[in-house]
Amino acid sequence: MDMRLEVVILPVADVDGAKGFYVEQLGWRLDADFPINDGYRIVQVTPPGSECSIIFGEGLTQQVPGTLHGLQLTVTDILKAQEELTSRGVRVSGPFRDETGAFHHAGDAHRVPGVHPERASYGTFAAFKDPDGNEWFLQEVTERAPGR
């Protein structure tokens, strides 16, 4: 049986501010904005090319706004993605790689500035935060691992 990740709930403090950031600033597709009733609103947006969306709003989660860290977007060219986000007014840190050569540590203590020396697939990252402080990572993947 296939199980696909379809939606991630994102904790935000200002729903309209988050909508402006993700839709207007990042250019993500607005799929829905349902104000169900007072205290319950659902906004769904989807990054370009993604099959997984994010949902934020009111009455959706007990998580504290800005506490979601490690969300990841996969890109084929980290430098081009960083350039595009920067041109949209997003502050992006990186590119960087982890000193271990594997994924990346939490925080930024183990980051080595620059792209992976061989530009190895899965080896280079960049990061940005939304207005609430939820942290997103970009990972450059140019060739998928077997079975992916």
Side-chain angles (χ1 to χ4, degrees):
M1 172 186 297
D2 286 346
M3 292 187 189
R4 295 187 176 112
L5 181 62
E6 185 82 15
V7 171
V8 173
I9 298 175
L10 191 68
V12 302
D14 175 1
V15 178
D16 289 318
K19 182 179 171 184
F21 177 75
Y22 286 102
V23 175
E24 295 164 23
Q25 192 169 358
L26 290 183
W28 293 9
R29 183 183 71 226
L30 175 64
D31 300 320
D33 187 347
F34 299 123
I36 307 298
N37 57 39
D38 191 33
Y40 190 53
R41 178 178 173 191
I42 304 165
V43 178
Q44 179 173 321
V45 299
T46 304
S50 180
E51 292 186 25
C52 183
S53 301
I54 62 168
I55 291 179
F56 52 86
E58 297 175 42
L60 299 176
T61 183
Q62 294 180 348
Q63 288 180 281
V64 175
T67 59
L68 204 52
H69 299 276
L71 295 165
Q72 186 167 304
L73 301 166
T74 300
V75 298
T76 56
D77 186 327
I78 199 90
L79 299 175
K80 187 174 179 180
Q82 183 172 3
E83 180 181 307
E84 180 178 327
L85 288 172
T86 301
S87 76
R88 293 174 170 272
V90 178
R91 186 171 169 253
V92 181
S93 63
F96 60 87
R97 63 189 187 278
D98 191 85
E99 67 186 11
T100 64
F103 195 59
H104 57 77
H105 282 82
D108 58 7
H110 299 276
R111 292 181 183 179
V112 176
V115 297
H116 188 279
E118 290 86 41
R119 208 66 190 263
S121 196
Y122 298 96
T124 304
F125 302 88
F128 68 92
K129 294 181 180 181
D130 73 7
D132 283 294
N134 294 302
E135 186 175 32
W136 291 85
F137 286 90
L138 305 173
Q139 182 180 35
E140 184 174 75
V141 177
T142 55
E143 185 178 326
R144 290 267 176 205
R148 299 277 325 220

